Amino acid sequence: MIPQHPTTFDLTMNSSKNLCDKPEEACGVFGIYAPEQDVAKMTYFGLYALQHRGQESAGIATFEGPYVHQHKDMGLVSQVFSEAILEQLPGNMAVGHTRYSTTGSSRKVNAQPAVVDTRLGTLALAHNGNLVNTIQLREELLKTNLHLVTSTDSEMIAHAIAEEINTGAGWLDAATHAFHRCQGAFSLVIGTPDGIMGARDPHGIRPLVIGKLDSQPIRYVLASETCALDIIGAEYIRDVEPGELVWITETGLASLFWNPQPQRKLCIFEMIYFARPDSLMHNETLYSYRMRLGRTLAQESPIDADIVFGVPDSGIPAAIGFSQKSGIVYGEGLIKNRYVGRTFIQPTQSMREAGIKVKLNPLKDVLSGKRVVIIDDSIVRGTTSRKLVKALREAGAREVHMRISSPPVTHPCFYGIDTDTQDQLIAATKSVSEICTHLEVDTLAYLSWEGMLAATGEDTNGFCSACFTGDYPVAIPQQVKSSKLILEKANQYAVL
């Protein structure tokens, strides 16, 4: 029984999707086993904390014995759910998802969790990441006369598990066998009538953490980031390890390694940009790591200037670090409208030509006559950066120097980040000197690849940095690779 609650609206297109000059994350996942709690409401708040990971759709599935209740729709978490809807989602455990589409278009049918019936009952799967063998897996599943409802790889993972269950396997064996059929990036939270599973691919490309509630007996939570634990008062225990499957039931938390030879390759962009600065990775907040990026950037590419500031919000920690190392005064040169969020109403042509002031507005009295250093975490297409520089000059900045706290993005991602095809990446088609001219800045410098990895303080082999190097840790099938990987170009990091 899968009741489908009425929805508020159904937007089939996100017309603003490609206007952002940043790579977009695939999604955030959340799961909780807590019979004593209102699991739907706790999942709602968990997803609310993970909203930055995806703004197209959101969904929650709750388990009440053999019954599954679900609601999912297009829009932000606060738009998809209300008190009345959450009251219709009873149960002792829940799985939630907030989505940005990388595999599968932006339509309600592709919203998650993916819910599939099996011999042992219904499963609900929430997926962060992207498979690279989707074509092969789809062909294998279709040979069994399976009817796929969506165009997502997430539904295929769910059906691969169901297929194993329907031929006699139990939940854990079925999941393990299905995971071996999947290549690429996947951090999963899977709800079943008997418990909740959490799993990561053997490289751990996308994050997944475990938390516990202050309760007796101890109840457990799974989430993409620790900020989703904080919001509900859960304590971070540890990460789900690459190649690990955890099983949360009434008896507690159990663990097994479905892949005995994991090789950690956490996406470095999670640390640079995607994850919230207050989330923990490697036992520290990402705010601290991003400050170190700024200090390293100042050391590598010094400049004489009057003020340094970051592009809100992601560039601010690196700007503070840059200021600390360089001695240049830190200030605010841009004010962000934090209520813009995601809009389906597009500005007129004249408004678009006015630049990016809908979201960012320069402080003219701060900038007038000053030599400014603006820090950003990345440049992908260059469209926003160019408009931003123009706005700073119009506000009276005498010199504009740009510093980027990551290397040039020269290759597309195939593991759950939307970076377009290679020819859309400005650093893949232009040298740093050419980008500097295109953006109309006085100087431009990127952080070195070595400096970015050294700032982690961890084993530098434990990260995926393919978007900067083209060295993909999971082999990309040629049919998939050719769709995005168009160019090859080497770049230097600075033009001063």
Side-chain angles (χ1 to χ4, degrees):
M1 176 181 178
I2 310 174
Q4 184 66 53
H5 299 296
T7 54
T8 52
F9 57 89
D10 185 2
L11 294 165
T12 58
M13 293 292 291
N14 179 2
S15 55
S16 63
K17 175 178 175 179
N18 293 320
L19 296 181
C20 181
D21 193 26
K22 295 288 183 184
E24 298 288 350
E25 180 54 279
C27 56
V29 299
F30 187 91
I32 182 170
Y33 185 100
E36 302 82 11
Q37 303 287 340
D38 185 337
V39 293
K41 188 165 287 188
M42 296 186 84
T43 303
Y44 168 86
F45 282 108
L47 295 180
Y48 196 88
L50 297 172
Q51 185 72 85
H52 59 287
R53 300 185 69 89
Q55 298 88 46
E56 289 191 358
S57 64
I60 296 174
T62 61
F63 288 76
E64 184 185 26
Y67 301 108
V68 176
H69 309 272
Q70 66 165 321
H71 179 80
K72 51 190 176 182
D73 208 337
M74 303 300 292
L76 302 176
V77 174
S78 59
Q79 296 170 322
V80 171
F81 296 101
S82 64
E83 288 274 4
I85 289 172
L86 292 172
E87 287 175 0
Q88 297 178 60
L89 299 174
N92 60 355
M93 51 184 159
V95 171
H97 188 271
T98 183
R99 181 174 191 261
Y100 177 90
S101 63
T102 54
T103 296
S105 59
S106 177
R107 296 184 297 137
K108 180 184 168 183
V109 69
N110 288 330
Q112 294 186 39
V115 178
V116 175
D117 287 325
T118 78
R119 175 181 61 87
L120 298 177
T122 302
L123 71 83
L125 179 145
H127 173 208
N128 177 206
N130 215 48
L131 301 186
V132 298
N133 68 327
T134 305
I135 297 172
Q136 174 190 341
L137 183 58
R138 183 180 180 86
E139 290 175 351
E140 291 174 2
L141 292 170
L142 290 176
K143 286 179 182 178
T144 64
N145 295 319
L146 177 70
H147 175 62
L148 294 173
V149 177
T150 77
S151 58
T152 69
D153 53 355
S154 309
E155 184 195 18
M156 295 178 203
I157 301 172
H159 277 294
I161 297 172
E163 187 177 275
E164 298 290 342
I165 290 171
N166 292 339
T167 57
W171 289 114
L172 299 183
D173 285 341
T176 297
H177 292 153
F179 296 161
H180 281 289
R181 300 172 67 182
C182 301
Q183 298 170 23
F186 52 94
S187 285
L188 303 168
V189 175
I190 305 168
T192 77
D194 298 325
I196 289 180
M197 286 182 273
R200 290 175 81 189
D201 65 78
H203 292 91
I205 295 174
R206 297 279 154 244
L208 189 64
V209 301
I210 307 169
K212 66 177 181 178
L213 297 172
D214 183 15
S215 62
Q216 289 297 330
I218 295 173
R219 301 306 189 187
Y220 294 95
V221 182
L222 298 168
S224 291
E225 297 179 34
T226 63
C227 63
L229 306 179
D230 297 336
I231 198 172
I232 62 167
E235 178 187 349
Y236 168 67
I237 301 175
R238 65 175 179 88
D239 291 5
V240 176
E241 293 297 320
E244 184 184 16
L245 187 159
V246 296
W247 178 232
I248 302 170
T249 63
E250 182 61 30
T251 59
L253 185 146
S255 166
L256 64 90
F257 279 86
W258 66 269
N259 187 302
Q261 295 180 312
Q263 184 180 5
R264 185 183 301 274
K265 289 289 182 181
L266 175 68
C267 171
I268 193 67
F269 240 120
E270 291 280 357
M271 298 186 65
I272 294 169
Y273 169 68
F274 287 128
R276 263 178 39 171
D278 54 329
S279 285
L280 292 172
M281 287 189 181
H282 306 113
N283 298 312
E284 70 171 355
T285 64
L286 291 176
Y287 183 88
S288 297
Y289 170 65
R290 291 167 189 174
M291 284 182 64
R292 284 201 300 278
L293 292 180
R295 290 196 288 269
T296 305
L297 183 58
Q299 184 174 351
E300 290 183 353
S301 303
I303 192 69
D304 188 18
D306 303 311
I307 185 172
V308 58
F309 55 90
V311 177
D313 289 308
S314 57
I316 289 176
I320 293 172
F322 192 99
S323 172
Q324 291 174 343
K325 184 67 177 179
S326 67
I328 300 172
V329 173
Y330 172 81
E332 285 197 57
L334 293 166
I335 297 299
K336 180 179 180 180
N337 180 354
R338 303 185 194 283
Y339 300 94
V340 171
R342 173 174 174 264
T343 178
F344 295 101
I345 301 174
Q346 297 304 304
T348 64
Q349 180 61 29
S350 61
M351 291 172 68
R352 282 194 292 268
E353 290 171 356
I356 57 170
K357 294 179 184 178
V358 171
K359 289 189 176 182
L360 295 172
N361 204 28
L363 290 168
K364 294 182 180 181
D365 55 342
V366 173
L367 300 172
S368 182
K370 300 289 181 59
R371 300 168 301 167
V372 308
V373 182
I374 182 168
I375 310 291
D376 206 353
D377 56 81
S378 61
I379 301 176
V380 177
R381 302 174 189 93
T383 51
T384 298
S385 298
R386 181 181 169 93
K387 291 176 181 178
L388 186 56
V389 172
K390 180 181 178 183
L392 295 177
R393 292 201 185 278
E394 290 175 347
R398 179 157 55 96
E399 295 177 8
V400 179
H401 305 275
M402 183 168 282
R403 296 292 181 269
I404 307 300
S405 60
S406 65
V409 177
T410 55
H411 289 73
C413 178
F414 296 92
Y415 306 133
I417 297 172
D418 184 10
T419 50
D420 272 340
T421 55
Q422 195 177 22
D423 61 336
Q424 296 297 311
L425 306 177
I426 191 169
T429 60
K430 297 181 186 295
S431 67
V432 174
S433 176
E434 291 169 335
I435 297 171
C436 182
T437 300
H438 175 76
L439 300 182
E440 299 182 344
V441 290
D442 292 280
T443 67
L444 169 67
Y446 289 80
L447 183 66
S448 69
W449 178 77
E450 295 82 2
M452 171 190 69
L453 291 176
T456 66
E458 300 289 323
D459 180 359
T460 57
N461 293 315
F463 298 94
C464 173
S465 58
C467 51
F468 306 118
T469 65
D471 183 13
Y472 296 98
V474 181
I476 312 298
Q478 189 57 42
Q479 187 175 1
V480 176
K481 197 173 185 179
S482 61
S483 68
K484 277 190 174 183
L485 199 56
I486 299 172
L487 306 165
E488 294 290 341
K489 190 177 181 67
N491 289 274
Q492 298 301 313
Y493 294 127
V495 175
L496 304 178

